[in-house]
């Protein structure tokens, strides 16, 4: 690997440290190199805090003069919560900037690159850096579509089931797999389940141990029937609970849930199908600047989502267990007619997690 790509890899690694802490901002990392030696490193550490470039420049001090900056994202040229990074890079005398991806934020979108070039700094923008694009994907989706990045998660038996015919599902995957799910939850803005799962499992959907974020617990419940004595409702003061109902949900149920501390959001009347309501909900969560949401099932909820073409990433755990019978599989919905149209995971990573197989990858 060339030393340039090593510096970029390092910048991406640094950026990842902000995961869960910086959203709805992007994760960004920066490495400053002069005469072949790293003189500064930084990353965006928390929402509202200094940008990666500023952290790296402050570490480098005078050594930044004449250096090359490797940044995972185009430096900003606007005054946000902090002054523009382009100004700081220019003032520090940085000679060259290598940018792994352009900033899709309409406030930036090429202006950062132009500002650096106008100041006589050489700028190289990478064409298609897969890793940098993956790092940026949830932020880029929110910026360009107004919707959060949607991660589908399930644990199933080797014979493709989420539960036995009596509905028992504790536990399918092993302890290690379940710990990974809690780590995932801890960087999410919301965790979503359907009414069936909420009834069947009476889950808490909290993050244990606590992570960087406290996700809102969302139940897709068109008629707002979630039981007032469910664990979710009873713990609504510990972490927010939102019931996503249809426009025609009975007012008395919505009122009772609100009285119990639950937020009830109703889809617009035009959202008739489950897939329509999903898309309306994603728009609403995007308006709230939610960047990542985790959908934990059940089959109908994930089916409506797949039918809507709205799954961005998958995390699936497959346990080496057989239960047979008519228990549900992970994804229902309309489904596809032809194998040739199957949605294929890109860059799937397949690993072993204790006794389970862990498959993750992106669909978009
Ligand atoms: C950078 N370096 O490390 C980050 C950038 O509200 P602010 O001031 O924090 O600005 C947020 C926007 O700045 C964000 O939407 C994105 O366009 C860019 N993030 N830019 O030069 C960084 N985190
Ligand atoms: Zn900046």
């Amino acid at each position: 690997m060339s030393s340039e790509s090593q510096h970029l890899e390092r910048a991406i690694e640094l950026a990842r440290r902000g995961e869960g802490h910086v959203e709805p901002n992007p994760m960004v990392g920066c490495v400053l190199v002069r005469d072949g030696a790293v003189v500064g490193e930084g990353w965006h550490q928390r929402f509202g805090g200094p940008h990666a470039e500023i952290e790296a420049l402050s570490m480098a001090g005078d050594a930044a003069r004449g250096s090359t900056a490797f940044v995972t994202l185009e430096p900003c040229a606007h005054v946000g919560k902090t002054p523009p990074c382009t100004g700081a890079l220019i003032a520090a005398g940085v000679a060259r900037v290598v940018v792994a991806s352009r900033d899709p934020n309409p406030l930036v979108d090429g202006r950062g690159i132009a500002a650096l070039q106008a100041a006589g700094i050489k700028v190289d923008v990478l064409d298609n850096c897969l890793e940098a694009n993956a790092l940026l994907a949830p932020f880029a989706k929110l910026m360009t579509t107004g919707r959060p990045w949607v991660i589908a998660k399930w644990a199933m038996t080797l014979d493709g089931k989420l539960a036995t015919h009596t509905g028992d599902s504790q536990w399918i995957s092993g302890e290690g797999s379940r710990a990974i799910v809690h780590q995932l939850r801890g960087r999410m803005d919301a965790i979503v389940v359907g009414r069936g799962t909420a009834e069947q499992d009476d889950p808490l959907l909290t993050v244990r141990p606590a992570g960087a974020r406290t996700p809102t617990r969302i139940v897709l419940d068109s008629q707002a029937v979630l039981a007032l004595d469910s664990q979710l409702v009873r713990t609504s003061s510990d972490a927010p609970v939102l019931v996503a109902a249809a426009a025609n949900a009975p007012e008395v149920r919505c009122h009772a849930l609100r009285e119990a501390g639950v937020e009830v959001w109703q889809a617009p009347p035009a959202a008739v199908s489950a897939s329509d309501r999903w898309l309306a909900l994603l728009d609403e969560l995007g308006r709230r600047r939610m960047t990542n949401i985790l959908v934990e099932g059940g089959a109908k909820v994930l089916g409506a989502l797949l039918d809507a073409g709205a799954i961005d990433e998958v995390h699936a755990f497959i346990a080496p267990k057989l239960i047979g019978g008519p228990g549900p599989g992970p994804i229902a919905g309309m489904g596809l007619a032809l194998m040739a149209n199957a949605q294929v995971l890109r860059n799937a990573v397949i690993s072993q997690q204790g006794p389970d197989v862990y498959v993750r990858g992106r669909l978009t």
Side-chain angles (χ1 to χ4, degrees):
M1 199 194 311
S2 77
S3 63
E4 297 240 321
S5 39
Q6 255 167 4
H7 295 315
L8 268 172
E9 284 237 329
R10 175 66 179 159
I12 290 168
E13 184 183 313
L14 291 168
R16 278 259 173 236
R17 296 186 183 174
E19 191 168 60
H21 301 275
V22 300
E23 296 84 356
N25 271 356
M27 292 175 258
V28 183
C30 175
V31 175
L32 292 169
V33 179
R34 192 168 89 170
D35 302 327
V38 174
V39 292
E41 289 191 335
W43 69 98
H44 188 37
Q45 298 186 15
R46 57 177 176 83
F47 182 75
H51 287 183
E53 298 87 327
I54 308 305
E55 297 277 6
L57 287 171
S58 93
M59 176 175 162
D62 287 343
R65 194 155 297 281
S67 68
T68 296
F70 294 84
V71 278
T72 61
L73 182 71
E74 171 183 6
C76 65
H78 68 291
V79 179
K81 283 181 280 304
T82 58
C85 291
T86 47
L89 291 163
I90 295 164
V94 169
R96 177 178 166 232
V97 178
V98 179
V99 174
S101 7
R102 269 172 78 117
D103 188 344
N105 182 350
L107 288 171
V108 186
D109 196 20
R111 286 187 190 84
I113 293 166
L116 295 171
Q117 284 169 335
I121 294 179
K122 182 169 173 359
V123 183
D124 292 312
V125 185
L126 301 191
D127 250 354
N128 196 7
C129 177
L130 286 181
E131 272 184 274
N133 293 351
L135 180 76
L136 199 63
F139 172 78
K141 184 182 179 197
L142 183 63
M143 274 289 157
T144 55
T145 70
R147 290 177 180 160
W149 186 255
V150 179
I151 303 176
K153 169 258 150 184
W154 66 86
M156 67 180 191
T157 60
L158 186 57
D159 53 336
K161 300 197 179 298
L162 296 183
T164 67
H165 68 87
T166 64
D168 185 32
S169 62
Q170 287 178 356
W171 297 103
I172 291 172
S173 55
E175 239 171 72
S177 302
R178 274 148 38 215
I180 288 179
V181 173
H182 280 272
Q183 281 167 18
L184 251 178
R185 283 182 179 177
R187 62 178 182 84
M188 294 293 123
D189 293 302
I191 297 168
V192 188
V193 298
R195 175 185 61 83
T197 302
E199 257 170 26
Q200 185 70 245
D201 299 353
D202 192 19
L204 263 177
L205 304 177
T206 47
V207 185
R208 304 181 300 272
R213 307 181 90 75
T214 302
T216 298
R217 300 169 293 165
I218 301 180
V219 182
L220 303 190
D221 181 10
S222 63
Q223 296 307 300
V225 298
L226 180 65
L228 297 179
D229 64 354
S230 61
Q231 290 212 77
L232 283 168
V233 176
R234 282 193 282 123
T235 58
S236 63
S237 55
D238 300 345
V241 177
L242 185 149
V243 162
N248 67 359
E251 185 43 42
V252 4
R253 291 293 316 157
C254 296
H255 179 74
L257 284 166
R258 288 188 179 115
E259 285 290 297
V262 169
E263 179 183 357
V264 180
W265 173 85
Q266 289 177 271
V272 186
S273 71
S275 290
D276 291 344
R277 286 199 298 277
W278 247 124
L279 295 178
L281 176 64
L282 292 178
D283 286 335
E284 172 61 22
L285 302 182
R287 278 191 285 277
R288 298 178 186 208
R289 312 317 288 158
M290 289 194 181
T291 313
N292 290 283
I293 69 166
L294 184 68
V295 186
E296 297 207 18
K300 275 194 204 155
V301 165
L302 284 173
L305 199 57
L306 190 73
D307 288 344
I311 301 180
D312 296 305
E313 186 175 323
V314 169
H315 290 246
F317 298 89
I318 304 156
K321 298 176 182 173
L322 304 174
I323 51 179
I331 304 189
M334 295 273 293
L336 294 167
L338 294 175
M339 219 36 231
N341 296 336
Q343 297 203 31
V344 182
L345 267 61
R346 295 201 289 131
N347 306 316
V349 179
I350 303 172
S351 57
Q352 196 170 341
Q353 185 54 55
D356 307 326
V357 175
Y358 177 25
V359 181
R360 64 205 145 109
R362 291 171 53 183
L363 288 180
T364 58

